[in-house]
Amino acid sequence: MNMVVKKTPPVARDSFLKTLQKKWHLLLAYLLLTIFSLPIGLMFLWLFLTSISTHTIAGVIPAGFTLEHWSFLWGPVEVGGRVLPSIWQATWNTILFAGGLTIFEVIISTMAGYTLSRMNFPGRKLMLRSVLILHAFPGVLLLIAIFYVLNALGLIDTLWGVMLVKVALQIPLSIYIIKGFFDEVSWDIEWAALVDGCNRLTVWYQVILPQVKPGIAAISIFSFIAGWSEFLLLFTFIFSEHNNTLAIYLLAIIGDFRVVNYGLLAAAALFYIFPVLLFFLFTQKFLMKMNMGGGKQV
Amino acid sequence: MNIKFNNVSKAFNNQLAIDSLNLEIENGEFIALLGPSGCGKSTTLMMLAGLYKPTAGEIYFGSVVVNDLEPKERNIGMVFQSYALYPHLTVLENIAFPLKQQKVPKKERLRRAEEVAELVHLQEFLQRWPSQLSGGQQQRVAIARALVKKPDLLLLDEPMSNLDTRLKNNMRNEVCRLQKQLKITTVLVTHDQEEAMIMADRVAILDAGKIQQFDPPEKLFNKPKNLFVAHFMGNPPMNFLEGRLVNEGNQQVVVADDWRYAFTKEKALPEKYTGKQVKLGIRAHQLAITQESKDALPAKLLALEYLGREVIIRAAIGKQNVCVFVENMVANNLPEHFYLYPDRAGVHVFDEETGENLSL
Ligand SMILES: Nc1ncnc2c1ncn2[C@@H]1O[C@H](COP(=O)(O)OP(=O)(O)O)[C@@H](O)[C@H]1O
Ligand SMILES: [Mg+2]
């Protein structure tokens, strides 16, 4: 929002009131947004304070200062008498999972999106529709079937196996988003490149992909965040501790609910969201450029 | 390289866009495809480029049938109406792009790109992005990019239609100069007759997927083959008068309710046309105003349009409206009723049914 707020000269109280009259809707918007986002902001604040406090007063108000809850960063963690492995293994696994997911999705959906947007072949429309239906289809329903498939392939309890499943479930949305971007690229540019000596593959790589960079950024962000926060699939198909990701690690910290160490949980949770938050701050301008519809000639 | 269309047709979803097109282009010739919007000009060009495949017929480059050749195997340069520059490349990289695809070493391709850029006066803009250029400059980049690989055939799809009038004139001259200098066989697509007439050696007039006439501009104007060409060429369009061709004694006459036009012996039409419904076609500058009724058409003044040195007189002959070009002097003090005397060399007779020019 680039609203220009005119400075009011100190002498003219009248004009200040006038400005206020003109801008009251803006003021109202800010007020409402503040009220609605306050609880979320306060919750983050509370999370942070809890993570550096020794105890809480009346169960809610943090008090006392300690860095003990953050000790998982440099030492082993003990929860309910059980010693957990280092959080760095889980962090690395999460990066691997989210990063791998992103790379797979970008490669597959840029190719598929281009094909669906630009080429005419029998079954194209059917494919486009099924992409949409697949997106609407809840992946949870497939858990048992996927279990059998992974088991048969020997991919159960491996990050790669779960990554493939996640890619398959996520790809329809990514294809649909990126296809909208490809639709926007003019045919003239593609034709010009063909005349200038490209073949279909070099056109795609040298000329078309650079035009859909914002779209690639968007699906990368979506995939990375989806991978980072994935829980259900990993929880179901991963059994070994050394294959755990951060989401599962958090579950382990909660332990058996009766003796939850809230300070530790808060610290680990912050550790968990921090990269995503950072990532989002740096990439949000690409997300704002996104055009979800885009579906000319479905 | 000379180019030949042999009965080429192109259908989109069973709709014919181009209908058995026959056309021969000489080596080094500059031809224009001229016609109203939607008549199939771009489709024809795209088939030359290899971006569309003909549904039927053959296209020859020299003696080779190129129907199945990919665009990149044809060595052509093409300029699009939208210029189609690559937004993520600088001007220099845009121009060098075709050479990069040919794997020309980097040093040489930059040198050649700079050479061509100089040809179209772009030296100062080489490091800019396309979005930082004006329309005219963008078009120069597009032309340079098309020329850099020394194509055998240059294709221009309405390249001037996004420029203002002054720039248009400049670019027309420039393109003509380049074409003559480099002697590249060139096909220009346009809907602007003025552009086609100024630039091209020969103009093919296209309508409804068919070539109506393919001749030098002067011939299109003075010897139109049919009603469409006669109507399409010239501004204001040719005047048409409906009548019937009859024999009176040994003279051929076109008669209508309010007027008659008698042919001289030498200009008479073949006998077999007697009795036909015809249209007389006469251009606005080939009618003269007179007060004498002999051999002239009676007209009633409707309106005057001043164009500076000349005036267009709008008048009615019978029920049909005509335009006449006259000098300023003549237009003043024009009575309401007068006669129009046609220049006999400029009278065309068109068959009303087939549109064919019977007087050629
Ligand atoms: N890709 C296409 N798909 C379907 N119809 C097309 C396509 N390209 C052109 N046409 C049709 O072919 C005819 C000629 O189009 P075009 O060659 O673009 O005309 P022009 O360039 O003379 O304005 C038009 O009726 C147009 O609708
Ligand atoms: Mg066109």
Side-chain angles (χ1 to χ4, degrees), chain B residues 56-255:
Chain B
E58 300 87 37
I59 299 174
Y60 291 90
F61 281 12
S63 55
V64 187
V65 177
V66 295
N67 283 29
D68 293 324
L69 285 191
E70 294 292 320
K72 62 174 180 148
E73 298 164 317
R74 299 188 180 204
N75 196 25
I76 45 178
M78 188 161 178
V79 175
F80 291 82
Q81 184 173 355
S82 64
Y83 311 142
L85 302 181
Y86 311 123
H88 61 293
L89 301 179
T90 63
V91 168
L92 188 63
E93 288 166 338
N94 259 284
I95 300 177
F97 186 84
L99 299 178
K100 186 178 170 194
Q101 304 309 315
Q102 293 176 353
K103 308 254 176 348
V104 175
K106 184 156 188 182
K107 241 194 191 148
E108 192 190 336
R109 79 175 178 246
L110 292 185
R111 185 183 59 75
R112 278 173 64 185
E114 276 170 28
E115 248 173 52
V116 179
E118 209 156 307
L119 211 57
V120 293
H121 313 303
L122 276 174
Q123 306 88 305
E124 295 140 54
F125 305 103
L126 294 177
Q127 295 313 321
R128 294 220 195 154
W129 301 105
S131 57
Q132 297 169 321
L133 299 179
S134 72
Q137 291 161 345
Q138 288 187 12
Q139 197 206 30
R140 283 166 208 267
V141 179
I143 292 175
R145 189 179 63 185
L147 291 176
V148 74
K149 61 177 156 182
K150 305 205 168 81
D152 295 325
L153 173 63
L154 181 62
L155 305 174
L156 310 167
D157 193 350
E158 312 219 5
M160 323 283 178
S161 59
N162 294 336
L163 303 179
D164 59 53
T165 315
R166 183 176 304 227
L167 212 50
K168 218 181 249 189
N169 287 332
N170 274 343
M171 287 313 295
R172 281 174 186 165
N173 291 335
E174 202 124 303
V175 171
C176 281
R177 173 179 66 82
L178 285 172
Q179 195 268 338
K180 293 285 173 286
Q181 188 180 338
L182 305 172
K183 298 189 183 63
I184 302 178
T185 314
T186 302
V187 180
L188 166 78
V189 157
T190 177
H191 63 258
D192 181 347
Q193 47 162 308
E194 193 188 328
E195 189 166 295
M197 307 265 273
I198 293 173
M199 297 178 74
D201 302 327
R202 284 196 292 167
V203 178
I205 299 206
L206 210 60
D207 183 47
K210 275 188 173 302
I211 295 217
Q212 305 294 322
Q213 188 168 355
F214 183 36
D215 272 318
E218 169 271 328
K219 203 168 168 195
L220 288 177
F221 192 74
N222 293 321
K223 296 199 154 79
K225 270 195 180 141
N226 57 36
L227 266 178
F228 179 84
V229 176
H231 187 77
F232 192 76
M233 300 300 290
N235 189 21
M238 194 183 260
N239 298 305
F240 295 107
L241 299 168
E242 288 175 26
R244 175 194 285 279
L245 186 66
V246 296
N247 278 341
E248 284 185 0
N250 56 359
Q251 210 176 21
Q252 280 183 316
V253 185
V254 176
V255 292

Side-chain angles (χ1 to χ4, degrees), chain B residues 274-286:
Chain B
T274 310
K276 266 192 190 296
Q277 281 299 123
V278 295
K279 278 187 176 174
L280 285 188
I282 311 163
R283 295 207 180 273
H285 66 276
Q286 286 172 321

Side-chain angles (χ1 to χ4, degrees), chain A residues 9-255:
Chain A
V11 277
R13 226 182 103 81
D14 271 4
S15 90
F16 172 74
L17 284 178
K18 259 187 207 140
T19 319
L20 201 67
Q21 263 167 2
K22 259 187 251 163
K23 306 272 177 186
W24 67 268
H25 52 279
L26 205 66
L27 215 64
L28 191 73
Y30 279 122
L31 202 68
L32 282 176
L33 283 175
T34 312
I35 291 173
F36 283 121
S37 44
L38 204 59
I40 303 170
L42 282 180
M43 253 147 50
F44 274 114
L45 188 67
W46 181 82
L47 209 58
F48 177 66
L49 291 178
T50 311
S51 77
I52 54 170
S53 311
T54 46
H55 60 279
T56 51
I57 300 166
V60 278
I61 303 161
F65 176 78
T66 172
L67 280 179
E68 176 205 340
H69 301 313
W70 289 91
S71 69
F72 62 80
L73 291 180
W74 53 84
V77 189
E78 202 192 295
V79 175
R82 210 156 59 91
V83 177
L84 294 180
S86 157
I87 198 168
W88 294 108
Q89 175 70 39
T91 310
W92 171 241
N93 286 345
T94 316
I95 291 172
L96 204 68
F97 184 76
L101 182 72
T102 309
I103 291 168
F104 272 125
E105 270 198 46
V106 166
I107 292 175
I108 297 174
S109 56
T110 46
M111 289 181 152
Y114 174 78
T115 311
L116 286 172
S117 166
R118 287 304 166 109
M119 297 192 181
N120 238 332
F121 52 90
R124 176 177 164 274
K125 282 196 174 159
L126 182 77
M127 223 178 247
L128 262 177
R129 291 207 188 99
S130 49
V131 159
L132 279 180
I133 292 171
L134 271 180
H135 171 54
F137 196 85
V140 188
L141 293 182
L142 295 174
L143 278 184
I144 296 172
I146 292 171
F147 186 93
Y148 280 112
V149 174
L150 284 182
N151 205 11
L153 293 175
L155 288 172
I156 205 85
D157 194 23
T158 64
L159 278 178
W160 291 107
V162 186
M163 199 190 295
L164 286 182
V165 173
K166 185 67 182 167
V167 167
L169 291 177
Q170 283 270 121
I171 217 84
L173 179 66
S174 298
I175 289 178
Y176 198 67
I177 291 173
I178 199 81
K179 177 185 168 289
F181 281 88
F182 281 121
D183 287 343
E184 298 282 307
V185 181
S186 88
W187 271 101
D188 279 1
I189 285 188
E190 179 150 5
W191 279 329
L194 286 174
V195 170
D196 284 345
C198 289
N199 58 39
R200 225 42 207 261
L201 197 70
T202 46
V203 169
W204 172 77
Y205 183 70
Q206 291 192 32
V207 175
I208 307 293
L209 277 194
Q211 316 304 318
V212 298
K213 266 189 198 154
I216 295 177
I219 54 174
S220 312
I221 295 166
F222 276 162
S223 322
F224 191 83
I225 291 177
W228 194 267
S229 57
E230 178 56 37
F231 173 76
L232 188 64
L233 291 173
L234 292 163
F235 183 64
T236 318
F237 300 129
I238 299 280
F239 321 121
S240 318
E241 235 166 27
H242 66 270
N243 278 341
N244 274 350
T245 62
L246 283 175
I248 313 284
Y249 196 84
L250 276 187
L251 184 72
I253 284 178
I254 294 173

Side-chain angles (χ1 to χ4, degrees), chain A residues 191, chain B residues 12-13 15-18 35-44 52 157-158 189 206:
Chain A
W191 279 329
Chain B
F12 294 107
N13 316 320
Q15 283 252 329
L16 271 185
I18 297 293
S37 178
C39 71
K41 306 179 296 285
S42 296
T43 307
T44 310
Y52 287 165
D157 193 350
E158 312 219 5
V189 157
L206 210 60

